[in-house]
DNA sequence: GTGAACAATTTGTCAAGACATTCTTACGTA
DNA sequence: TACGTAAGAATGTCTTGACAAATTGTTCAC
């Protein structure tokens, strides 16, 4: 049992369960709750914090979903061992790089309206030939090329400019335009770079690339974006945390 | 509103919320609940099924977490558009291949006890030099080599034999030995195959490989397995569903 | 000393109820 | 006709309470 110092602000618009979860997460990250240590049981926590047990359960379930703690019936709730990285999230590369402090920069190679070919139309759920926005961008991290990114977007709410795309990530711009991204289907693979890719990414001939093809859907289920990105495998890998439910 | 035919077996050990979730999921997969369609509201569903609303909420939350439906306050719960593939899961390649009907086969190249080098020891959370089990396997799908897999396991509950590893997946064997895998940290990348890998995987010279390095932890937070797998990029890619919480 | 049974502990499931917040639609007024 | 407000609809949050199931520890009997 480890004593926890949790302050609750009942006048805050932040739900109580979330306040509890946040503070427990913070204690874990700060080392106050050591890996392997046991949390107080739900009934006791609820009593001490003056909350109901389902509210505590909701807070702890949030932490379970984040992979920070595990629960076992009859035993209790324990902080997970090991350095937990970020879970799989619906974020753009721009967001990712900025989060880890690698100053991202973008060069827009093309932004045009084109008729969607069969494959793109299928991914976006529009008729073949529909006019869609096609983006081609080169993403830099710490001054070096990292990824070549193609995206296709259906005509819609976000009016994208090269200036905006060079200043912010695509998902950020979509969100600012009111698009609520919800689910994405993604395929991760690898292949050898084409000569054009080699040139743009400043890599050696036939270097390996990590590839990601992703279609993102909004909360109404409409495709809002289809992307095909390639990354220099020498400079980029994807780290994820898998959590068994 | 779409009418749902849900049967509940109250004598079953399967929790009620799970029975509801399963049957809704099945209706979605079968097309009875079309993408974009609206579920009955929680209060009505609870009333019709003779369950409490929190039980219905739990069932729906399960579906939300699977990316099958989205919820919006004031509006309702809607089936997501787009073909949702499996979410990211803590499964082994053997499980994956078997699930999609590609008969997996395994050839054990090595199974030995070795002193853990610094990197392996770090991953497994043991002292450098500790005796650990090292596996080297070649995985086939439909008669063709697909992946070359190295795994290191701390001395422990599972006594692995080449025979067992050729008949079943590693995770399956660990589970059968009572190991409860819970969280895994995974890094996905790409690189060019070494000559030895080229030979084993029957690929062309310097072909691209998709790489996965993963450390899996049990529900006590102990590392139970560290693996470094390479896949023929020409034959394998990873499909995942990302869900925004 | 070992195995089985029982008790204590803790999470998991479920119910009933109430209020808050967000979204959409309809109505009223300018 | 357009805009603002109010009402209705539906999810989100929280409370109180009870029983079930799994795990661990202890005790008793052989």
């Amino acid at each position: 049992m480890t004593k926890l110092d949790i302050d609750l602000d009942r006048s805050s618009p932040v739900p109580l369960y979330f306040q509890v979860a946040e503070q427990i997460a913070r204690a874990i990250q700060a080392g106050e709750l050591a890996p392997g240590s046991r949390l107080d049981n739900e009934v006791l926590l609820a009593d001490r914090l003056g909350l109901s047990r389902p509210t505590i359960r909701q807070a702890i379930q949030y932490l379970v979903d984040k992979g920070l703690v595990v629960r076992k019936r009859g035993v209790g709730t324990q902080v997970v061992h090991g350095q937990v990285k970020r879970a799989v999230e619906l974020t753009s590369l721009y967001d990712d790089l900025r989060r880890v402090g690698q100053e991202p920069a973008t060069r827009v190679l093309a932004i045009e309206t084109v008729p969607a070919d069969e494959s793109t139309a299928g991914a976006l759920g529009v008729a073949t030939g529909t006019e869609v926005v096609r983006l081609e961008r080169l993403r830099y991290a710490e001054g070096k090329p990292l990824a070549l990114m193609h995206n296709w977007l259906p005509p819609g709410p976000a009016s994208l400019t090269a200036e905006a795309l060079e200043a912010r990530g695509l998902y950020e711009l979509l969100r600012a335009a009111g698009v609520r991204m919800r689910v994405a289907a993604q395929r991760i693979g690898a292949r050898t770079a084409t000569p054009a890719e080699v040139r743009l990414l400043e890599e050696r001939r036939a270097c390996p690339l990590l590839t990601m093809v992703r279609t993102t859907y909004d909360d109404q289920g409409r495709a809002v974006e289809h992307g095909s990105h390639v990354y220099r495998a020498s400079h980029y890998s994807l780290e994820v945390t898998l959590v068994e439910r």
Side-chain angles (χ1 to χ4, degrees), chain A:
Chain A
M1 292 319 119
T2 310
K3 286 296 164 188
L4 261 187
D5 198 18
I6 292 180
D7 299 313
L8 297 175
D9 178 2
R10 282 184 183 257
S11 66
S12 163
V14 178
L16 293 172
Y17 81 87
F18 195 76
Q19 292 183 45
V20 174
E22 267 190 325
Q23 293 187 39
I24 294 179
R26 213 171 291 142
I28 291 173
Q29 309 289 6
E32 291 168 37
L33 282 179
S37 64
R38 193 82 60 83
L39 297 199
D40 282 346
N41 73 57
E42 300 171 354
V43 177
L44 184 58
L45 262 184
D47 200 52
R48 281 186 31 222
L49 297 177
L51 299 173
S52 73
R53 191 178 146 219
T55 302
I56 297 295
R57 289 187 61 76
Q58 197 171 355
I60 296 181
Q61 183 61 42
Y62 181 86
L63 297 169
V64 167
D65 290 341
K66 291 290 185 196
L68 294 179
V69 301
V70 293
R71 293 160 111 168
K72 198 184 300 193
R73 188 191 282 194
V75 179
T77 301
Q78 188 167 41
V79 176
V80 167
H81 260 295
Q83 291 298 77
V84 177
K85 308 283 188 290
R86 65 179 185 87
V88 176
E89 284 175 1
L90 189 40
T91 61
S92 67
L93 176 60
Y94 191 91
D95 294 336
D96 294 345
L97 292 173
R98 193 164 48 176
R99 189 183 299 133
V100 299
Q102 295 187 33
E103 284 309 312
T106 305
R107 187 161 126 232
V108 177
L109 304 181
I111 172 169
E112 57 190 345
T113 301
V114 297
D117 63 25
E118 197 172 316
S119 160
T120 305
L124 292 177
V126 298
T128 305
T130 303
E131 299 284 315
V132 296
V133 180
R134 175 180 169 274
L135 310 178
E136 183 175 19
R137 295 170 295 159
L138 195 54
R139 172 80 25 88
Y140 295 81
E142 305 192 308
K144 299 210 224 30
L146 182 69
L148 178 63
M149 307 180 293
H150 293 85
N151 293 76
W152 291 266
L153 297 94
S159 55
L160 301 168
T161 65
E163 284 75 35
L165 285 162
E166 295 191 338
R168 303 157 80 183
L170 174 62
Y171 279 13
E172 189 183 347
L173 293 175
L174 288 177
R175 285 195 187 101
V179 177
R180 304 173 208 233
M181 295 172 292
R182 183 76 182 109
V183 187
Q186 175 167 280
R187 189 167 70 248
I188 301 166
R191 64 173 168 78
T192 300
T194 63
E197 286 164 341
V198 164
R199 202 162 47 243
L200 286 168
L201 293 170
E202 295 172 26
E203 270 273 6
R204 57 186 166 83
R205 195 180 66 87
C207 66
L209 301 177
L210 186 62
T211 63
M212 281 185 225
V213 180
R214 182 194 279 190
T215 306
T216 306
Y217 302 89
D218 71 6
D219 64 4
Q220 302 298 310
R222 290 167 304 207
V224 298
E225 173 273 323
H226 176 68
S228 176
H229 301 180
V230 295
Y231 305 80
R232 297 168 72 185
S234 58
H235 283 68
Y236 185 77
S237 61
L238 184 65
E239 299 197 4
V240 296
T241 300
L242 308 178
V243 181
E244 181 106 6
R245 282 196 56 93

